[in-house]
Amino acid sequence: MSYDPDADEALLNRAYVFSVNAHGTQKRASGDPYFSHPIEVAGILTDLHLDAETIATAILHDTIEDTVATPEEVRRLFGDNVARMVDGVTKLSKIEAQTESERAAENLRKFLLAMSDDIRVLLVKLADRLHNMRTLHFIKSEEKRRRIARETMDIYAPLAERIGMYEFMKEMQTLAFKQLEPEAYESITRRLDALKIEGEDRIAKIASGLKLLLARGGIEAEVSGREKHPYSIWKKMSERHVSLEQLSDIMAFRAIVKNEEECYRALGVIHRRWPMVPGRFKDYISTPKRNGYRSLHTSVIHAENMRVEIQIRTQDMHAQAEFGLAAHWAYKQDAVRPDTQVSWIRDLIEILEHAESPEELLEHTRMAMYQDRIFAFTPKGELIQLPKGATPVDFAYAVHSNLGDQAVGAKVNGRVVPLRTEIQQGDQVSILRSKAQEPQANWLNFAITGKARAAIRRHIRHKERDETVKLGRKLYDEIVHRLPTPAAPEALGDALKRLKLADEESLMEAIAHRKLTDAQVMEAVMPGSTDGEEHEMPPQSAAIDIKGLTPGVAFHLSEDCRPVPGDRIVGLRRPGQPIEVHAIDCASLADTDDDDWVDLTWGDKAEGGTARIAVTLKNEPGALGAIATLIGQHKANILGMRMDNRDTTFHTNTIDLEVRNAAHLMRLLAALRAADAVSSAERA
């Protein structure tokens, strides 16, 4: 390592010899000796001037998985740090999983945990993936090549972008794009080659003109230009629905100046010379990207109405842009190390802890890595980065999980707004909270960050299980009450063994979701109590009290009849689903089996429900306003209104109302019928 005279060369030599011996005669798909791969990976990281431990990890990264070498050997020969990183980088392809998504999610889960412990694991993994992509064409199976390319595009390129390693990201995207969209790749590269021939020295001319312009303004700058890479061009063509000829900004130029002050001076010189494209200026110096990227971006209309993108930065900013987080891990002993758990990695770890299924983990992780960012501020001026389209719920969870859980409202720029309001660039957001609040299921309709959605789903899952178990226990108590004789104290434990269930909660959940019939439960608690004949079951002895349970969680209120407290109700039980609560006279019960019913009661002093009424009004000015006023006077709340039909004389409206109970609804209907503007008012 010529860049580090103090490097531990003995460590690197031992790693090289160990890797060559361990891989032995193994071959790559290209036919090259296998150990050439870890050496190439180490070479990529050497170009980034990384420390000796990271280079040794790169040389050893495949030994545990692909050879007979053991983690203990690596730890003994190379130390704890290298052993831990090798274990973190090890590809986990041997995991037996039922589906591709489960395997991908499990790989990602273990990788994220290792990465959170030492970010250098990610640097080695990205270099490993980059070299694999460079040699991907040697793999004969097209399906396998496409799978690896898709995984690279979905996971590894966004990870590279997240830590500011843009050169890694661009090369990965280009190589993956070549496999996933070969025809589009060939078409774009062919047309780019043709454009190069047409204007062979166009980029050089623009770059030298830009350098001369800045020099005249008293700014010494290093200027370079390039065409954007094929995947970036294809993505813009897809998003804007334009052809390559119509895509004017396919060239980008970079001006590197001495200091931050000259960045802004250079920007002024450029904007005085060429008109700026509105909406295309970005100041990442005053508000850096989450990965630490700093630069000024602008697009201008150059000669012949051609758009060009120009980036202005200092040499330090350029090093950060090229190498990202890797710049912090240079060999220098005095280099400032980053927090080993970068903030976005902490978010990913929290998502990992909350995710229930492989699909959910992949969905939330991709959300956290992909989306374009905006900046919003807390009342104290702290900068919070969010994806475009984020709402105060996303903002609250970005600040702290507890704040998200307790959010009841928000102020944006001092104005109270609904939680579903989209936050704009530069907004100041203050979250209103209450300890009595808890995450709501409808937040999933507008929360877009992976962290927020994972936390909301986790809470809903726990609440669903808790309330389902609570309802199941009430059903169990009623079932046991019907036994011929009281059950012994140990009967419940014996029943769990007979039903092969792990614990009481599993039994209660199975009862609530009718995975077990009443007869099966009675027979398990007291064998012989039903004579094996379900139709001879004793009738239900008492109605089940649903007080204290949340509608929509352990049970659902029927959309057909919309029962409210005070109505006589029954529950419809279907296997694997929450109980559906109906009014006893609901027409939809006519097609169901009586055995599926369970008698329910609202419980003492239950209040609050949504009723639907149909009101026919005279077609005259002020009629609708009159009934709205009347509804308000009776302390009911209109949740929704729909006009169903209208003629010259009358129009009928369906209205959803929040009422206290059935008696409250009846009083309101009586008052509506007495109003001059109302022809009829009935419960729908």
Side-chain angles (χ1 to χ4, degrees), residues 395-542:
F395 182 93
Y397 277 106
V399 175
H400 197 280
S401 295
N402 289 343
L403 183 62
D405 289 345
Q406 296 173 6
V408 292
K411 283 184 180 180
V412 174
N413 302 325
R415 186 169 59 89
V416 177
V417 299
L419 285 174
R420 62 173 58 248
T421 304
E422 189 173 318
I423 295 172
Q424 302 300 319
Q425 188 77 266
D427 281 347
Q428 185 187 75
V429 183
S430 174
I431 301 299
L432 310 176
R433 67 194 297 181
S434 166
K435 291 184 178 179
Q437 175 67 303
E438 57 185 23
Q440 305 296 304
N442 69 333
W443 289 0
L444 291 172
N445 296 331
F446 50 82
I448 68 167
T449 60
K451 183 177 180 181
R453 293 180 67 83
I456 295 163
R457 282 180 172 168
R458 182 191 192 196
H459 177 85
I460 291 169
R461 277 195 303 270
H462 287 183
K463 184 170 184 178
E464 281 178 348
R465 179 167 171 81
D466 290 346
E467 294 214 2
T468 300
V469 168
K470 194 173 176 181
L471 178 60
R473 199 172 297 280
K474 291 183 177 185
L475 290 165
Y476 172 80
D477 290 342
E478 196 284 325
I479 291 169
V480 170
H481 191 68
R482 285 186 266 161
L483 289 169
T485 58
E490 66 275 8
L492 178 57
D494 294 340
L496 292 175
K497 292 175 185 174
R498 294 185 186 107
L499 295 168
K500 298 179 180 177
L501 293 172
D503 50 37
E504 279 187 40
E505 289 191 347
S506 300
L507 173 60
M508 304 313 163
E509 199 173 8
I511 293 171
H513 284 163
R514 215 190 180 199
K515 293 175 181 175
L516 294 170
T517 65
D518 293 1
Q520 287 173 319
V521 176
M522 292 176 78
E523 195 64 26
V525 173
M526 187 176 289
S529 58
T530 64
D531 296 328
E533 296 291 334
E534 254 187 78
H535 63 269
E536 293 184 7
M537 283 279 297
Q540 188 174 335
S541 58

Side-chain angles (χ1 to χ4, degrees), residues 356-410:
E356 186 80 1
S357 66
E359 291 78 11
E360 194 177 313
L361 174 62
L362 290 173
E363 173 202 344
H364 293 333
T365 305
R366 285 169 185 160
M367 277 182 180
M369 293 190 299
Y370 268 134
Q371 295 157 311
D372 292 335
R373 318 303 286 183
I374 63 168
F375 298 92
F377 297 88
T378 68
K380 293 182 179 178
E382 182 186 351
L383 192 67
I384 302 294
Q385 291 197 45
L386 296 164
K388 285 182 180 175
T391 64
V393 168
D394 299 303
F395 182 93
Y397 277 106
V399 175
H400 197 280
S401 295
N402 289 343
L403 183 62
D405 289 345
Q406 296 173 6
V408 292

